[in-house]
């Protein structure tokens, strides 16, 4: 049965999966959501015998129903290949009573690779299916990891260009170096004088500019997104939760049907929303543990029912979570409002106008699947150090936030059931913060610290870090947050 996609802000006018992937964002500024959540049609026992690619097909076929089997399998085969440094793609590591789902074994050593390895193939396939002749312009805001993963995925992909905006002083040195050294004649990287929310708001404003869209269409361009606002980014993220549960079962760690907890370091809400969708598909998940850093807008939301971005923006050691507008939360709000686009649109207008909105008590009752908490900066560092001292396992700062919040959850609830923690980045992506937490080391450059971390952990420095040590800077453009539209136009005027 075909699944169609509706906007979270307007009733009617559903589109196919390939059309939703192509557009990225609905014309009304809403996000695309499936008209129903499909149920898994393979048993856990069957799934436990499958590879990651096979699991990906079994999950994604249920959502991307206008793709043929051959089209989808081709996209999957091109995505989950030797660019990952382990055949498992997403291995599990047990440490200190929890299972860490390592999502950082792709080309850019962050979880964004899991979806952005396949999105270019889904997008170009969607273009062919819908007879699109325009060049597709991928327009993306990043808090650090999406940018490099998207750039790596789309570099020199025929029929596409990609423009990435990032907060100039809001990412780690290695994150920035990964982006500004990116090769590819169709790539463009821009630092903005502002934070991630400024970048994300600017990108959404460009998407909503109908006059600009018409102007670009005449020149043979159309926009799409590589952010998790694109349903083609979100659906592949569901896969690794299903895969991890099946692996736990296959290893004898859980029984068939046994419920587990899932803890996710959360900024833009896409990764934990994918886990929520997996639960609705029938995956036995008990609680979804939403872990925030000191930008704790989501913790406050789950505690009070009020989403309020009117607060100080904090630069932390987990920059990919330094976000005050969690875009994917809109998909959850739409669902707990009874799939009522009008109600959701009103709340999103409140957020735009006043910087806050408040959900009803009935909507708040629908959030019982979630537990929210946050980790302070010192708690994050303490977690990195204590986990290493107990087990020898080293995590990055974002994963440490999730680990810390999971420990708080256990202490508060006494719930000691099997728990999966989404490990979203390699510690080598944040060597300064990780090495300071482990042994107080500072004053060295990030690459020297990477070598020290390798000596300490016994894990080789990833190729993604080694290859940018001496790489030349290819992108040095910086603009104000109000200059993003003009910057886009300048890039598109360039001859490739």
């Amino acid at each position: 049965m075909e699944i169609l996609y509706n906007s979270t802000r307007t009733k009617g006018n559903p589109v196919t999966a390939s059309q939703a992937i192509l557009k990225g964002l609905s014309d009304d500024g809403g996000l695309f959501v499936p008209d129903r959540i499909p149920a898994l049609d393979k048993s856990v026992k069957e799934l436990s015998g499958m590879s990651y690619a096979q699991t990906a097909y079994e999950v994604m076929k249920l959502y991307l129903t206008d793709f043929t089997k051959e089209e989808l399998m081709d996209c999957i085969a091109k995505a989950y290949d030797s660019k990952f440094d382990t055949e498992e793609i997403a291995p599990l590591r047990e440490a200190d009573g929890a299972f860490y789902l390592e999502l950082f074994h792709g080309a850019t050593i962050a979880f964004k690779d899991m979806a952005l390895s396949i999105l270019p193939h889904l997008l170009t396939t969607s273009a062919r299916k819908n007879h699109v002749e325009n060049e597709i312009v991928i327009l993306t805001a990043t808090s650090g990891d999406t940018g490099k993963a998207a750039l790596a995925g789309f570099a020199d992909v025929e029929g596409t260009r990609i423009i990435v905006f990032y907060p100039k002083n809001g990412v780690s040195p290695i994150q920035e170096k990964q982006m500004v050294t990116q090769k590819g004649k169709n790539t463009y990287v821009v630092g903005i004088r502002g934070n991630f929310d400024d970048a994300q708001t600017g990108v959404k404003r460009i998407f909503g500019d109908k006059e600009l869209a018409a102007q670009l269409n005449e020149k043979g361009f159309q926009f799409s997104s590589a952010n998790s606002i694109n349903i083609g980014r979100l659906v592949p993220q569901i896969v690794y939760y299903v895969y991890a549960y099946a692996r736990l079962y296959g290893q004898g760690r859980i029984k068939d049907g046994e419920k587990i907890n899932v803890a996710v370091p959360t900024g833009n809400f896409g990764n934990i929303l994918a886990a929520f969708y997996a639960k609705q598909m029938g995956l036995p998940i008990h609680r979804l543990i939403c872990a925030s850093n000191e930008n704790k807008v989501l913790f406050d939301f789950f505690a009070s029912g009020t989403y309020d971005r009117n607060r100080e923006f904090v630069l932390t050691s987990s920059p990919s979570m330094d976000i005050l507008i969690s875009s994917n939360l809109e998909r959850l709000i739409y669902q707990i409002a009874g799939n009522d686009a009008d109600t959701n649109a009103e709340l999103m207008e409140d957020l735009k106008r006043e910087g806050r909105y408040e959900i009803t008590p009935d909507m708040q009752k629908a959030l019982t699947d979630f537990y929210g908490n946050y980790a302070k900066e010192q708690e994050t560092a303490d977690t990195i150090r204590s986990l290493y001292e107990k087990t020898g396992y080293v995590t990055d700062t974002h994963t440490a936030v999730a680990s810390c919040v999971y420990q708080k959850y256990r202490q508060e609830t006494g719930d000691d059931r099997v728990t999966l923690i989404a490990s979203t980045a390699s510690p080598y992506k944040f060597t300064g913060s990780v090495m300071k937490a482990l042994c107080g080391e500072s004053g060295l450059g990030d690459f020297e610290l990477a070598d020290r971390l390798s000596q300490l952990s016994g894990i080789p420095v990833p190729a993604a870090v080694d290859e940018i040590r001496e790489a030349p800077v290819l992108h040095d453009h910086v603009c104000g947050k109000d200059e993003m539209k003009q910057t886009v136009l300048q890039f598109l005027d360039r001859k490739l």
Side-chain angles (χ1 to χ4, degrees), residues 54-104:
Q54 291 168 330
T55 306
Y57 175 74
E58 294 302 333
V59 173
M60 294 174 66
K61 73 178 185 183
L62 302 174
Y63 285 93
L64 309 182
T65 53
D66 65 328
F67 283 68
T68 66
K69 180 177 181 178
E70 291 71 26
E71 287 171 338
L72 190 51
M73 290 185 73
D74 180 61
C75 290
I76 290 168
K78 289 175 177 175
Y80 304 114
D81 57 11
S82 60
K83 70 174 70 69
F84 288 85
D85 64 17
T86 169
E87 285 187 22
E88 291 175 284
I89 307 296
L92 287 170
R93 288 285 299 274
E94 185 177 7
D96 196 27
F99 291 90
Y100 288 80
L101 176 61
E102 294 186 342
L103 301 172
F104 52 77

Side-chain angles (χ1 to χ4, degrees), residues 414-459:
D415 181 1
D416 61 357
R417 73 183 68 230
V418 171
T419 295
L420 189 72
I421 296 177
S423 185
T424 53
S426 165
Y428 284 97
K429 205 151 191 172
F430 305 94
T431 51
S433 298
V434 170
M435 287 301 292
K436 186 176 180 181
L438 287 176
C439 52
E441 195 152 342
S442 60
L444 298 176
D446 271 49
F447 295 105
E448 293 173 290
L449 288 170
D451 293 332
R452 290 281 294 112
L453 178 57
S454 180
Q455 294 168 10
L456 197 68
S457 66
I459 299 171

Side-chain angles (χ1 to χ4, degrees), residues 109-149:
I109 57 175
F111 84 99
K112 308 296 174 71
D113 287 323
M114 303 299 295
L116 283 166
S117 292
I118 194 169
L119 181 60
H121 306 296
L122 294 176
L123 193 62
T124 52
T125 301
S126 296
R128 289 194 299 270
K129 292 173 72 67
N130 289 276
H131 311 293
V132 170
E133 296 182 2
N134 282 346
E135 194 166 358
I136 298 168
V137 180
I138 304 300
L139 194 61
T140 291
T142 183
S143 55
D145 288 337
T146 286
K148 173 59 182 179

Side-chain angles (χ1 to χ4, degrees), residues 8-73:
T8 52
R9 300 190 189 182
T10 305
K11 294 177 180 176
N13 301 315
V15 299
T16 64
S18 62
Q19 289 168 338
I21 289 169
L22 271 173
K23 292 178 73 65
L25 197 67
S26 176
D27 292 337
D28 56 20
L31 279 62
F32 287 112
V33 288
D35 58 9
R36 62 186 175 85
I37 301 295
L40 287 168
D41 61 2
K42 290 288 186 290
S43 69
V44 171
K45 185 176 181 180
E46 289 174 301
L47 290 166
S48 68
M50 295 183 185
S51 68
Y52 191 89
Q54 291 168 330
T55 306
Y57 175 74
E58 294 302 333
V59 173
M60 294 174 66
K61 73 178 185 183
L62 302 174
Y63 285 93
L64 309 182
T65 53
D66 65 328
F67 283 68
T68 66
K69 180 177 181 178
E70 291 71 26
E71 287 171 338
L72 190 51
M73 290 185 73

